[in-house]
């Protein structure tokens, strides 16, 4: 699929087609209409005009079309009166495409290259003898973070290079560009002399070029697959839709479009903040309409073993949080870090508080759908401390074991349950619907989707439910602190 935006518009003069299409049976139309309909369906196009565009006396028809390969490329189709003697309405639409002055750009990247780091020297540098000297969780975390950053700065080299990037085809290499130039030379030679030998030389070079590009693209895509699901789905999204500029431009309060990174970041922050629910402190918490769990889980033990095992589950490419401690560093040096990390986690649980760093998130806006200049059409992706996420994973494992033992989760629940997913949910539904069909029983299906469901969870009610289901003591206190007094910063480019 081609990621380039495609927009086709004009007067097609096909009055027999009724938009939106409710029937694509080409046998009902003449040859012209059938051929157009066949092209439209097979090209997976969207047609955005829904109202009549031509009125002559009492005759009305929809003849002027706007088609694109992504429904969000055009927005706000408006209909205005005809100009002069024309009997066609004027259509006005907003195009949302990113214009690039050059398909090949040059960027300078300066970052630490952990793949060339001397991890043995890093481990020799880090001193863990003082890991139990403090009982203040913020102080203990600051000591760990400071030692880690000192070791990283000393033994992880900076990588600075100018990197040429082909925006749309990253598999195009210097070798390909050289062959393209050679192909053009052979073509010019053939055009100048008209010799059959020159044409054959050009065709041979062209075939070699096509073969090379196909090979390089296949190798690139295999590499994307091998990098894991994150890279795979990112690549697929780029192939299926037009690119959204980063940093994106947005409409400000006045409706004007701005690309000032600071202004855009603030617009996103204001939008994301609106999603969160703030419960009045005096509001009564409703009763939980399920039996109370008398047994309880009040603590979780963090050991060097389960910390190291959990760290190993992170990919080397996992994005780091505001503490700038990457997963590859924590994994490669886990043998000398896990004892101190286990101490910090146990201290955090014992005190029922988290280090302030762990409550901060750097948010990246990801485009969903609709008008690309509206902040509400982006969803926030939060990057938090990997050390905190490690602690979360260990706690979640213990909680799952407890609620499974106590039969808290009903059998119909498929989300966030090991070995269950949307697929198992659909299989169960299909089985039920099929049996009802066989037994001639009616089936009513209601679909619900909660907007920004996780952002809107009322925290006080959630804590009350956890206590009701047996999560109490230090663990409940820690979870309560984890969920409250959090802050986030939106990152747009290099601006927070």
């Amino acid at each position: 699929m081609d990621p380039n935006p495609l927009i086709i518009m004009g007067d097609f003069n096909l009055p027999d087609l009724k938009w939106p299409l409710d029937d694509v049976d080409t046998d009902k139309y003449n040859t012209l209409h059938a051929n157009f309909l066949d092209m439209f369906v097979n090209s997976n196009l969207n047609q955005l005009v829904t109202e009549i565009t031509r009125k002559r006396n009492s005759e009305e028809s929809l003849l002027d079309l706007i088609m694109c390969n992504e429904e969000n490329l055009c927005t706000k189709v408006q209909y205005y009166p005809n100009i002069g003697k024309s009997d066609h309405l004027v259509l006005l639409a907003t195009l949302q495409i990113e214009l690039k002055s050059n398909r090949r750009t040059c960027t300078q990247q300066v970052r630490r290259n952990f793949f060339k780091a001397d991890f043995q020297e890093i481990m020799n540098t880090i001193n863990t003898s003082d890991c139990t000297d403090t009982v203040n969780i913020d102080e203990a975390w600051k000591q760990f973070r400071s030692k880690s950053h000192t070791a990283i700065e000393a033994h992880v080299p900076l990588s600075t290079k100018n990197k040429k990037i082909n925006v749309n085809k990253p598999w195009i290499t210097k070798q390909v560009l050289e062959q393209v130039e050679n192909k053009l030379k052979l073509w010019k030679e053939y055009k100048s002399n008209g010799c059959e030998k020159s044409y054959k030389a050009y065709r041979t070079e062209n075939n070699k070029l096509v073969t090379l590009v196909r090979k390089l693209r296949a190798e690139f895509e295999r590499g994307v697959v091998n990098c894991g699901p994150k890279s795979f789905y990112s690549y697929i999204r780029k192939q299926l839709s037009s690119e959204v500029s980063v940093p994106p431009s947005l409409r400000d309060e006045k409706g004007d479009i701005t690309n000032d990174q600071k202004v855009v970041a603030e617009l996103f922050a204001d939008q994301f903040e609106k999603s969160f629910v703030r419960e009045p402190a005096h509001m009564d918490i409703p009763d939980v309409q399920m039996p109370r769990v008398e047994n309880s889980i009040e603590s979780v033990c963090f050991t060097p073993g389960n910390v190291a095992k959990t760290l190993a589950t992170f990919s080397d490419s996992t994005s780091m949080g505001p503490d700038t401690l990457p997963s590859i560093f924590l994994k490669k040096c886990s043998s000398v870090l896990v004892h101190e990390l286990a101490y910090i986690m146990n201290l955090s649980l014992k005190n029922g508080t988290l280090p302030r760093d762990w409550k901060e998130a750097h948010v990246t806006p990801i485009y969903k759908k609709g008008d690309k200049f509206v902040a509400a059409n982006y969803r926030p992706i939060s990057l938090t401390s990997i050390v905190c996420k490690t602690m979360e994973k260990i706690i979640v494992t213990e909680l799952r074991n407890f609620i499974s033992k106590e039969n808290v989760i009903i059998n119909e629940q498929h989300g966030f349950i090991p070995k269950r997913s949307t697929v198992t949910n659909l299989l169960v539904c299909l089985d039920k619907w099929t049996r009802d069909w066989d037994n001639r029983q009616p089936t009513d299906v209601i679909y619900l989707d909660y907007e920004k469901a996780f952002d809107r969870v009322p925290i006080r009610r959630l804590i009350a439910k956890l206590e009701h289901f047996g999560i109490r003591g230090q663990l409940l206190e820690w979870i309560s602190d984890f969920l409250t007094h959090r802050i986030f910063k939106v990152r747009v480019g290099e601006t927070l």
Side-chain angles (χ1 to χ4, degrees), residues 171 173 175 211-227 235:
W171 51 85
T173 64
Q175 180 186 0
T211 302
L212 176 62
V213 170
R214 287 176 178 171
K215 176 185 174 184
L216 292 174
R217 178 169 184 172
E219 290 175 354
F220 172 80
E221 292 179 343
R222 276 195 295 269
V224 169
V225 173
N226 293 335
C227 285
Y235 177 70

Side-chain angles (χ1 to χ4, degrees), residues 287-317:
D287 295 332
V288 181
Q289 302 301 314
M290 288 181 69
R292 179 179 174 83
V293 175
E294 298 303 327
N295 295 326
S296 65
I297 176 173
E298 300 185 6
S299 185
V300 172
C301 182
F302 301 93
T303 66
N306 62 16
V307 172
K309 182 179 178 180
T310 306
L311 280 174
T313 63
F314 289 95
S315 167
D316 288 348
S317 61

Side-chain angles (χ1 to χ4, degrees), residues 98 114 127 144 317-318 354 367 416 450 473:
E98 180 185 13
F114 282 88
N127 178 18
F144 175 85
S317 61
T318 300
L354 285 74
Y367 173 68
F416 312 102
Y450 293 96

Side-chain angles (χ1 to χ4, degrees), residues 96-100 167 242-250 257-259 261 264 268 364-367 372-373 378 491-493:
Q96 301 201 354
I97 57 177
E98 180 185 13
L99 300 179
K100 291 184 172 64
V167 177
S242 61
E243 188 173 353
V244 179
S245 60
V246 179
S249 302
L250 291 182
I257 293 180
T258 177
N259 58 7
Q261 290 188 355
V264 171
F268 274 126
T364 300
I366 301 296
Y367 173 68
K372 296 173 183 177
F373 298 116
Y378 291 74
R491 179 183 293 280
V492 175

Side-chain angles (χ1 to χ4, degrees), residues 331-481:
K331 290 170 62 178
K332 296 285 187 182
C333 302
S334 63
S335 59
V336 298
L337 297 178
V338 289
H339 290 82
E340 189 167 359
L341 287 174
Y343 172 77
I344 292 172
M345 292 177 187
N346 283 312
L347 180 62
S348 175
L349 185 67
K350 179 182 177 181
N351 294 346
T353 58
L354 285 74
R356 280 189 286 272
D357 274 2
W358 292 9
K359 290 188 172 189
E360 181 177 333
H362 284 181
V363 171
T364 300
I366 301 296
Y367 173 68
K368 293 189 301 183
K369 61 180 180 179
D371 192 334
K372 296 173 183 177
F373 298 116
V374 176
N377 292 330
Y378 291 74
R379 62 186 175 95
I381 297 296
S382 296
L383 303 180
T384 57
S385 169
I386 292 175
V387 175
C388 185
K389 287 197 282 190
T390 302
M391 187 173 178
E392 292 173 54
K393 280 191 172 187
I394 296 172
I395 290 175
V396 165
T397 300
E398 295 300 318
L399 288 181
R400 277 183 174 151
N401 292 337
F402 174 77
I403 63 177
S404 175
K405 180 180 176 182
E406 297 296 326
N407 295 317
V408 172
I409 303 298
I410 60 176
N411 190 50
E412 287 76 14
Q413 175 69 27
H414 288 261
F416 312 102
I417 301 297
K419 299 182 180 180
R420 291 197 174 195
S421 64
T422 53
V423 174
T424 59
N425 176 250
L426 288 171
L427 288 172
V428 171
C429 287
L430 183 60
D431 178 64
K432 175 69 168 59
W433 298 339
T434 304
R435 281 189 281 110
D436 287 348
W437 177 270
D438 291 340
N439 296 327
R440 299 182 179 276
Q441 296 293 321
T443 301
D444 295 325
V445 182
I446 301 175
Y447 293 96
L448 299 176
D449 182 22
Y450 293 96
E451 183 185 37
K452 298 179 174 61
F454 286 97
D455 296 338
R456 297 181 185 273
V457 171
I459 302 303
R460 290 177 60 236
R461 300 188 193 198
L462 175 59
I463 297 300
K465 273 195 171 184
L466 292 176
E467 194 279 334
H468 184 86
F469 290 130
I471 301 163
R472 302 174 186 126
Q474 290 179 345
L475 182 54
L476 183 63
E477 188 179 349
W478 187 91
I479 293 174
S480 180
D481 189 68

Side-chain angles (χ1 to χ4, degrees), residues 70-302:
E70 186 192 349
E71 62 181 347
N72 296 317
L73 285 176
C74 285
T75 59
K76 295 185 177 179
V77 178
Q78 297 172 286
Y79 305 82
Y80 289 94
N82 58 299
I83 297 176
K85 295 183 178 180
S86 173
D87 54 6
H88 286 257
L89 301 184
V90 174
L91 302 184
L92 180 64
T94 301
L95 304 186
Q96 301 201 354
I97 57 177
E98 180 185 13
L99 300 179
K100 291 184 172 64
S101 58
N102 194 339
R103 294 172 68 87
R104 292 183 62 82
T105 60
C106 186
T107 62
Q108 188 180 65
Q109 298 177 335
V110 180
R111 61 182 61 183
R112 296 203 176 271
N113 189 345
F114 282 88
F115 293 98
K116 293 185 178 181
D118 189 338
F119 288 107
Q120 188 58 53
E121 279 301 314
I122 291 177
M123 289 189 284
N124 293 338
T125 303
I126 296 176
N127 178 18
T128 60
S129 61
D130 58 349
C131 68
T132 59
D133 285 354
T134 179
V135 294
N136 181 285
I137 184 61
D138 277 306
E139 189 61 35
W141 171 249
K142 285 179 182 177
Q143 287 182 14
F144 175 85
R145 187 186 60 188
S146 177
K147 288 185 298 185
S148 299
H149 283 155
T150 299
I152 288 172
E153 290 169 5
H155 301 290
V156 181
L158 286 171
S159 177
T160 306
K161 63 180 180 179
N162 290 330
K163 185 179 179 182
K164 284 191 174 181
I165 304 171
N166 188 294
V167 177
N168 291 326
K169 297 181 176 66
W171 51 85
I172 299 298
T173 64
K174 184 178 180 181
Q175 180 186 0
V176 172
L177 296 177
E178 289 175 350
Q179 284 198 222
V180 169
E181 292 180 3
N182 191 37
K183 168 188 162 183
L184 291 175
K185 289 180 182 177
L186 292 173
W187 175 254
K188 290 178 180 178
E189 181 179 329
Y190 162 69
K191 293 296 289 183
S192 64
N193 58 31
C195 177
E196 184 66 22
K197 183 178 179 180
S198 297
Y199 180 73
K200 287 183 178 180
Y202 158 75
R203 291 295 304 169
T204 301
E205 188 67 19
N206 181 70
N207 292 338
K208 288 181 180 178
L209 179 60
V210 171
T211 302
L212 176 62
V213 170
R214 287 176 178 171
K215 176 185 174 184
L216 292 174
R217 178 169 184 172
E219 290 175 354
F220 172 80
E221 292 179 343
R222 276 195 295 269
V224 169
V225 173
N226 293 335
C227 285
K230 183 177 179 181
S231 299
F232 172 76
Y233 286 113
S234 174
Y235 177 70
I236 291 299
R237 279 193 296 270
K238 288 180 181 178
Q239 302 308 304
L240 291 177
S241 62
S242 61
E243 188 173 353
V244 179
S245 60
V246 179
S249 302
L250 291 182
R251 288 191 183 89
D252 58 21
E253 296 84 351
K254 299 178 181 179
D256 299 326
I257 293 180
T258 177
N259 58 7
D260 183 295
Q261 290 188 355
K262 182 173 177 59
V263 175
V264 171
E266 290 296 339
L267 290 170
F268 274 126
D270 292 341
Q271 176 60 43
F272 296 152
E273 185 184 15
K274 295 175 184 176
S275 303
F276 293 96
V277 169
R278 291 178 175 82
E279 286 182 291
H282 61 275
M283 179 182 291
D284 293 333
I285 302 298
D287 295 332
V288 181
Q289 302 301 314
M290 288 181 69
R292 179 179 174 83
V293 175
E294 298 303 327
N295 295 326
S296 65
I297 176 173
E298 300 185 6
S299 185
V300 172
C301 182
F302 301 93

